[in-house]
Amino acid sequence: MFKDFKPVLGILLRFIIIYLVLLFAYQFYLNGSKFSGLDSFSRMIANRVCALQNSIGYPTSLYNDIENNQVWFYVNRDYRTRMVEGCNAVSVMILFVSFVFAFYKGAKTFLFVGAGLIVLHMINLFRIVGLNIVMVDHKEYGTMFHDFIFPAIIYGSVIVLWMIWIKFFALKHENS
């Protein structure tokens, strides 16, 4: 009976192992920066968002709230949003990487993961910029965009990338 399910169980086991290893590595990274405020990757994203917003006409500055592990976005000299560790999309990226590597196909796996991480990073930057713009121009829609629209965009992007990986790379020889 297990013989029929061996390929599926192998993929599932690879996914779980890769996911747990990446999750523990990320937690180890976060534990190393918990006394210095927001982690450096999240701060880098906040700085990029600030630069993007400044370049499109939304004057933005940041306030590092080290005590509370967050960065505040001030747009037009008014508080709009705050960024915490969960805004950096690393957990989404870990999920993406784990799934793709569960269907490992050699060197192209690394190339696809690299390209996918760049795409997800860019989508996340535009997601945060978009939320800040919504909070400046249409604050009444802020909760809806934060809780529903933008999560749907980032998770939907992961699903589209997974579908591309499966259709065009992972199962290409099986379907030919």
Side-chain angles (χ1 to χ4, degrees):
M1 175 158 81
F2 284 114
K3 188 176 182 180
D4 294 335
F5 295 109
K6 187 175 180 183
V8 173
L9 293 174
I11 290 168
L12 185 60
L13 184 61
R14 277 194 305 266
F15 172 81
I16 291 169
I17 290 170
I18 293 166
Y19 181 77
L20 290 175
V21 166
L22 292 175
L23 192 65
F24 286 126
Y26 181 56
Q27 190 58 51
F28 180 76
Y29 161 77
L30 289 176
N31 289 342
S33 65
K34 67 180 174 183
F35 297 113
S36 60
L38 193 61
D39 66 281
S40 58
F41 184 70
S42 297
R43 274 186 278 134
M44 183 231 7
I45 290 174
N47 287 325
R48 287 184 179 174
V49 167
C50 183
L52 278 169
Q53 289 177 192
N54 283 321
S55 71
I56 61 171
Y58 286 86
T60 303
S61 59
L62 301 175
Y63 170 72
N64 291 318
D65 184 358
I66 294 173
E67 183 178 321
N68 295 309
N69 295 329
Q70 59 191 2
V71 170
W72 297 87
F73 289 101
Y74 284 91
V75 185
N76 296 327
R77 297 180 183 228
D78 189 21
Y79 156 76
R80 295 301 174 175
T81 61
R82 66 187 175 97
M83 181 168 169
V84 297
E85 173 271 326
C87 301
N88 65 18
V90 170
S91 60
V92 174
M93 293 177 188
I94 288 172
L95 197 61
F96 165 74
V97 169
S98 301
F99 180 84
V100 172
F101 272 103
F103 292 88
Y104 182 78
K105 294 294 180 183
K108 63 183 170 183
T109 309
F110 290 95
L111 293 173
F112 188 82
V113 163
L117 289 175
I118 291 169
V119 167
L120 291 174
H121 177 69
M122 297 303 295
I123 289 170
N124 191 50
L125 289 176
F126 291 122
R127 177 184 73 90
I128 297 169
V129 168
L131 180 60
N132 284 332
I133 290 171
V134 166
M135 293 303 289
V136 168
D137 295 337
H138 302 285
K139 191 172 183 168
E140 66 274 14
Y141 298 113
T143 300
M144 179 181 67
F145 273 83
H146 179 270
D147 294 350
F148 303 109
I149 305 295
F150 289 128
I153 290 170
I154 193 88
Y155 284 108
S157 301
V158 170
I159 291 169
V160 167
L161 287 169
W162 284 346
M163 290 169 48
I164 291 169
W165 174 249
I166 294 298
K167 173 95 172 133
F168 296 106
F169 299 98
L171 298 180
K172 187 174 184 179
H173 299 292
E174 286 85 349
N175 292 335
S176 327

